[in-house]
Amino acid sequence: MADAIIFLGSGGARIVVFKQIRASGGIWFSLQGTNLLVDPGPGSLVRIISSKHKLDPTQLDGILLSHSHLDHSGDVNIMIEALTTGGTKKRGVLFCPREAIEGEDPVVFKYLRSYLEKIVILQEKGEYEIKGVKFSCPIRHRHRGETYGFKFETERAKISYIADTKYFPELIPAYQADILIMNVVREKPSELDHLSLTDAKNLILGIRPKVAFLTHFGMTMIKNKPWILAEELTKETGIEVIAASDGMKYEL
């Protein structure tokens, strides 16, 4: 597959996820021949198997968890099972915050951990590499639990994924990139530790990527039609803004 980003799901927040108003499968990255799955929420395996893009979970090289909340990690165990062909092939790397495996409520089953080639614990400002693809966790997010976003450095582009977080100005220098992906749960600002549409606009204007994607929508975003909100942001910022949809593929 050519270098691409596939949005297996574009839903976030509790109601959207448990009603599956939008799917919650996470994001598949194919970069320089390496396949990575970011935040496999509930239904991730089903979304992969049924994808029109002919994705094969046994061809994954790594799984990246931004944090332990169920809408980001609900399918992490079955994806480890699939990646390793039921544990018959010791392969693949899991990148996750420490609390995902050592916290009060670890989300990765102990019996599956030995199936993987290794588990790498994420840290703020940590730099990582898997099969020639380099990425970092430039800053810890302000969210319940230990949460990180990812910044990928590829031959074609710099790609930033801002996971769940309350907005704070330091996100702008941390996530400078050509392609910006943001989890935008709320249409209007609130006290919740999630990005709103206003926050997304501030990030776009500060980072000025070539293209920005909005995803991980809560009910207020969905009710206000994300594709229309994205069109309005494009006009306001002068930068192409795209609202992700379930199954959307973007080729670099």
Side-chain angles (χ1 to χ4, degrees):
M1 181 189 296
D3 284 8
I5 302 167
I6 299 171
F7 294 87
L8 299 170
S10 57
R14 293 177 178 86
I15 295 174
V16 174
V17 172
F18 72 65
K19 289 190 174 183
Q20 286 293 286
I21 296 168
R22 291 278 187 115
S24 51
I27 308 174
W28 179 296
F29 290 83
S30 288
L31 303 172
Q32 300 170 189
T34 300
N35 295 314
L36 303 172
L37 177 59
V38 173
D39 284 352
S44 186
L45 179 62
V46 172
R47 296 293 302 178
I48 290 169
I49 295 296
S50 61
S51 173
K52 65 181 180 181
H53 304 300
K54 299 181 180 179
L55 304 178
D56 183 350
T58 66
Q59 297 304 305
L60 275 172
D61 298 293
I63 298 172
L64 283 63
L65 286 188
S66 66
H67 62 299
S68 297
H69 290 168
L70 278 174
D71 52 340
H72 296 258
S73 67
D75 260 21
V76 65
N77 291 298
I78 191 61
M79 289 313 308
I80 292 172
E81 185 96 23
L83 183 156
T84 61
T85 316
T88 62
K89 297 180 180 178
K90 191 177 182 69
R91 59 181 300 276
V93 183
L94 171 66
F95 299 88
C96 64
R98 185 172 300 279
E99 72 176 22
I101 58 171
E102 296 181 9
E104 292 183 6
D105 292 310
V107 295
V108 182
F109 293 157
K110 291 181 179 179
Y111 83 90
L112 292 170
R113 299 176 191 181
S114 62
Y115 291 7
L116 294 159
E117 183 180 340
K118 62 180 175 178
I119 296 175
V120 176
I121 302 300
L122 300 174
Q123 299 180 43
E124 184 176 40
K125 297 183 180 179
E127 297 181 352
Y128 311 95
E129 184 171 352
I130 176 169
K131 293 186 67 176
V133 174
K134 296 180 180 180
F135 70 94
S136 62
C137 296
I139 193 167
R140 180 167 173 163
H141 288 193
R142 296 180 184 176
H143 190 61
R144 289 158 293 156
E146 186 181 5
T147 306
Y148 302 102
F150 305 111
K151 185 175 180 180
F152 300 93
E153 302 271 352
T154 76
E155 296 171 356
R156 292 175 179 264
K158 294 180 180 179
I159 307 166
S160 286
Y161 167 64
I162 301 181
D164 292 359
T165 184
K166 187 179 184 69
Y167 176 83
F168 57 104
E170 291 80 5
L171 292 169
I172 291 174
Y175 285 106
Q176 293 292 312
D178 305 301
I179 299 171
L180 176 63
I181 303 168
M182 296 171 287
N183 285 355
V184 184
V185 174
R186 305 280 301 177
E187 193 263 335
K188 294 187 182 300
S190 73
E191 293 303 312
L192 299 176
D193 49 0
H194 286 286
L195 295 177
S196 68
L197 195 66
T198 300
D199 299 327
K201 180 179 178 179
N202 290 334
L203 288 167
I204 291 167
L205 289 172
I207 295 171
R208 303 204 66 80
K210 294 177 181 177
V211 60
F213 288 91
L214 313 179
T215 190
H216 203 62
F217 304 127
M219 283 301 300
T220 59
M221 285 292 292
I222 291 171
K223 287 178 180 178
N224 285 280
K225 302 178 180 178
W227 59 95
I228 292 177
L229 298 174
E231 289 176 3
E232 292 172 352
L233 275 184
T234 297
K235 293 175 183 176
E236 292 171 6
T237 64
I239 291 168
E240 183 181 13
V241 182
I242 300 172
S245 58
D246 297 349
M248 175 190 285
K249 180 180 180 181
Y250 178 80
E251 292 191 356
L252 275 63

